[in-house]
Amino acid sequence: IAGGQEAAMMVTGASLEAVAELDLRRPFLEVATKCKVVIACRVSPLQKAWMVRLVRMGISPQPVTLSIGDGANDVPMIQEAQVGVGISGREGRQAVNAADFAIAQFRFLQRLLLVHGRLN
């Protein structure tokens, strides 16, 4: 990003569809890796998993991927990542059942990542 400024990227399901159909994976990853954060909104469960797979296979050296979800629509993404975290709550237990780790509330994520993640 020009001038050392921080940037963020927001993608929608329709834009991810275009990236896949027009084979723009490489340019998409080049821009995404320069961003501080990439936010995906209005994406299908399969598109969530596709984004995780794209990062795992398209970046070298291969990064460790972590997916966090709280409902059935997050299960494919959680299963695609090397580390899956399920948050139990209103949307049922499907994400928790598919995950490597389960937490009761989103606020417990910080401790899981920064304390337990560092010790293991």
Side-chain angles (χ1 to χ4, degrees):
I1 308 301
Q5 292 182 323
E6 294 181 348
M9 178 192 293
M10 186 179 82
V11 294
T12 62
S15 62
L16 284 178
E17 222 172 274
V19 167
E21 287 176 9
L22 301 174
D23 197 25
L24 298 172
R25 292 170 184 91
R26 180 68 36 214
F28 175 79
L29 277 175
E30 285 176 18
V31 173
T33 55
K34 292 179 181 164
C35 293
K36 194 82 166 169
V37 63
V38 177
I39 300 169
C41 62
R42 301 284 182 207
V43 296
S44 72
L46 292 177
Q47 287 175 317
K48 292 176 183 184
W50 182 80
M51 280 195 63
V52 173
R53 191 174 322 110
L54 180 63
V55 169
R56 284 182 63 188
M57 303 304 168
I59 297 176
S60 185
Q62 188 180 55
V64 174
T65 54
L66 167 76
S67 290
I68 305 163
D70 65 352
N73 62 329
D74 296 318
V75 169
M77 172 185 68
I78 289 170
Q79 291 176 332
E80 186 66 41
Q82 283 120 327
V83 180
V85 177
I87 303 173
S88 59
R90 295 186 199 123
E91 293 192 41
R93 297 200 40 93
Q94 292 95 334
V96 168
N97 292 338
D100 301 304
F101 299 95
I103 56 177
Q105 296 177 3
F106 191 77
R107 65 186 176 103
F108 298 139
L109 184 62
Q110 182 178 11
R111 183 171 178 90
L112 175 69
L113 295 177
L114 300 179
V115 176
H116 300 289
R118 178 71 179 123
L119 297 176
N120 290 323

